[in-house]
């Protein structure tokens, strides 16, 4: 039997779905959180941070100059892997051109290639979208920026995710807040 839905409830999407089966649930039990095992096929010589410049949500992608400033100011130096779909290679190269740290652009034209790359990195700095859920399922630490999306409803199901948000656009999140989250990562 369908259960009544109350849109004013501030619950994660997965909790809302699970409550259709068990209305007493208030959180997602850890044994129900998605987990993936994927064989990494990339090898990097130092800690790597994946950044994706491909995102369907305009308000969920940092401007290249802001992203460059944040990465260049990080005290812990990662090798930066800039991932993208093929149509975003120029955007990824523009980001890489302003970085003063080790970086490389790695387009992934297939889902299998992307998952293998994601399994190979040590952490992620991304906008809200599907990547954050896949990274959570792989148990990757991540900084996720939400622009116009409710964190409480869509956050990755992971204790290793640091989520920052702005009601409209990630570019309005203060840089010092993002910098602090990256340092914690």
């Amino acid at each position: 039997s369908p259960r009544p839905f109350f849109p004013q409830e501030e619950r994660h999407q997965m909790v809302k779905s699970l409550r259709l089966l068990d209305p007493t649930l208030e959180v997602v039990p850890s044994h129900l959180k998605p987990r993936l095992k994927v064989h990494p096929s990339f090898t990097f010589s130092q800690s790597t941070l994946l950044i994706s410049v491909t995102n369907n949500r305009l308000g969920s992608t940092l401007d290249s100059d802001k992203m460059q400033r944040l990465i260049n100011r990080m005290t812990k130096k990662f090798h930066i892997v800039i991932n993208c779909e093929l149509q975003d290679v120029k955007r990824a190269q523009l980001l890489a051109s302003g970085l003063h740290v080790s970086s490389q652009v790695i387009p992934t034209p297939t889902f299998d290639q992307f998952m293998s790359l994601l399994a190979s990195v040590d952490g992620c700095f991304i906008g809200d979208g599907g990547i954050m859920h896949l990274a959570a399922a792989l148990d990757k630490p991540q900084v996720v920026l939400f622009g116009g999306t409710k964190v409480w409803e869509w956050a990755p199901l992971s204790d290793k995710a640091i989520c920052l948000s702005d009601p409209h656009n990630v570019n309005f999140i203060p840089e010092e807040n993002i910098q602090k989250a990256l340092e914690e990562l």
Side-chain angles (χ1 to χ4, degrees), residues 127-141:
D128 69 291
I131 296 173
M132 68 180 174
H133 298 297
L134 295 169
L138 289 169
D139 203 31
K140 298 291 180 181

Side-chain angles (χ1 to χ4, degrees), residues 76-183:
K76 181 177 181 188
K77 298 302 178 195
F78 288 95
H79 173 68
I80 304 298
V81 172
I82 305 167
N83 177 247
C84 61
E85 292 178 358
L86 293 176
Q87 71 266 19
D88 295 320
V89 168
K90 286 184 181 176
R91 195 165 156 203
Q93 291 169 336
L94 174 66
L95 175 60
S97 71
L99 296 180
H100 306 302
V101 297
S102 169
S103 67
Q104 70 188 106
V105 173
I106 303 179
T108 48
T110 69
F111 183 71
D112 287 344
Q113 290 171 332
F114 170 73
M115 288 303 296
S116 181
L117 175 62
L118 188 57
S120 303
V121 300
D122 297 298
C124 302
F125 177 32
I126 50 182
D128 69 291
I131 296 173
M132 68 180 174
H133 298 297
L134 295 169
L138 289 169
D139 203 31
K140 298 291 180 181
Q142 56 185 310
V143 172
V144 185
L145 305 180
F146 286 77
T149 307
K150 296 175 178 103
V151 176
W152 54 264
E153 186 173 23
W154 293 105
L157 295 171
S158 170
D159 295 333
K160 294 182 178 180
I162 302 169
C163 300
L164 303 173
S165 69
D166 180 85
H168 306 289
N169 189 303
V170 297
N171 288 288
F172 300 142
I173 299 170
E175 280 189 42
E176 58 273 9
N177 295 359
I178 300 171
Q179 198 73 53
K180 182 180 178 209
L182 288 171
E183 294 301 329

